Amino acid sequence: MKNLLVLFVFLMSFFAQSQEIKWMTMNNALEAQKKEPKKIFMDVYTDWCGPCKLLDKKTFHNKDVVSFVNKNYYPVKFNAEGTEEVEYNDFTYTNPNHNPDRKGRNSQHFFANALKISGYPSMVFFDEKGSLIAPVVGYKTPQQLEIYLKMIYSNDYKKLTTKAAWQKYEESFVSTFEN
């Protein structure tokens, strides 16, 4: 009986781990692209952002989102007010104005500024060569995020050059992600 309990606990912990997005740094994702080209999906968040925490809890733990992101993207978690150094397009982005003693909002990282991040959370997509595709601002449910994940993965975004084309695409999109 004791062995059965140990096996059950082991299997549950393994299953729980498999339901996580395998986040990495932007530098690691760019390095991984050199070996195996894949698009990058970046979650841009801040520590004080309530919708960012909700996105983490609800959307980024949805089994369909986890599976799709892990399979098709290099997922990056990036604190827009953090101190991580990012090497991007032959430039090192930092946050020299970050104040570690400050509570709440802090200075925006130069990389977030370069990406023109206007709100949190933002999800940013990059192509297989690390070039910026587009940011998507705001909290999204798994079903709301699904259209962006699949549209960018399949390169359909390249055909959507007008508002009417986007509306038609959005109206005809059939969601398969569950709650």
Side-chain angles (χ1 to χ4, degrees):
M1 184 69 169
K2 185 177 177 183
N3 289 340
L4 187 60
L5 182 62
V6 169
L7 178 63
F8 178 75
V9 170
F10 173 76
L11 290 174
M12 289 306 292
S13 67
F14 177 76
F15 179 74
Q17 287 177 348
S18 66
Q19 292 297 309
E20 298 284 329
I21 292 178
K22 296 177 178 86
W23 298 109
M24 55 190 355
T25 67
M26 185 63 173
N27 292 333
N28 290 342
L30 292 169
E31 197 59 37
Q33 278 188 325
K34 293 175 185 175
K35 296 173 187 152
E36 182 185 344
K38 259 192 205 183
K39 290 180 175 76
I40 294 172
F41 169 76
M42 175 188 277
D43 171 33
V44 181
Y45 71 97
T46 64
D47 292 333
W48 51 263
C49 169
C52 298
K53 292 173 183 161
L54 191 61
L55 188 68
D56 262 344
K57 183 178 179 181
K58 302 254 183 192
T59 303
F60 293 152
H61 280 85
N62 173 281
K63 67 179 178 62
D64 295 317
V65 172
V66 170
S67 176
F68 194 85
V69 169
N70 282 338
K71 180 179 179 189
N72 300 300
Y73 289 93
Y74 289 119
V76 170
K77 196 108 166 112
F78 179 71
N79 184 345
E81 295 180 353
T83 58
E84 172 185 349
E85 285 190 5
V86 177
E87 300 284 333
Y88 183 74
N89 288 344
D90 299 322
F91 188 81
T92 302
Y93 291 91
T94 62
N95 189 354
N97 299 318
H98 179 267
N99 179 351
D101 299 324
R102 191 172 194 184
K103 302 281 187 238
R105 294 178 186 250
N106 215 310
S107 66
Q108 188 180 48
H109 196 287
F110 285 172
F111 189 55
N113 188 274
L115 297 174
K116 298 185 179 0
I117 300 300
S118 61
Y120 307 109
S122 286
M123 288 144 290
V124 184
F125 293 87
F126 298 84
D127 69 15
E128 292 86 350
K129 294 182 180 178
S131 297
L132 177 67
I133 296 173
V136 176
V137 180
Y139 171 81
K140 302 288 182 237
T141 65
Q143 293 76 22
Q144 290 169 327
L145 180 58
E146 177 183 9
I147 191 169
Y148 295 102
L149 290 170
K150 291 182 176 177
M151 172 191 59
I152 298 218
Y153 172 72
S154 67
N155 289 321
D156 285 347
Y157 72 94
K158 293 178 180 180
K159 299 177 233 166
L160 304 176
T161 57
T162 66
K163 184 177 179 181
W166 165 250
Q167 287 174 331
K168 185 177 176 184
Y169 185 86
E170 192 175 26
E171 288 167 5
S172 65
F173 183 79
V174 178
S175 175
T176 59
F177 285 10
E178 294 179 12
N179 266 339

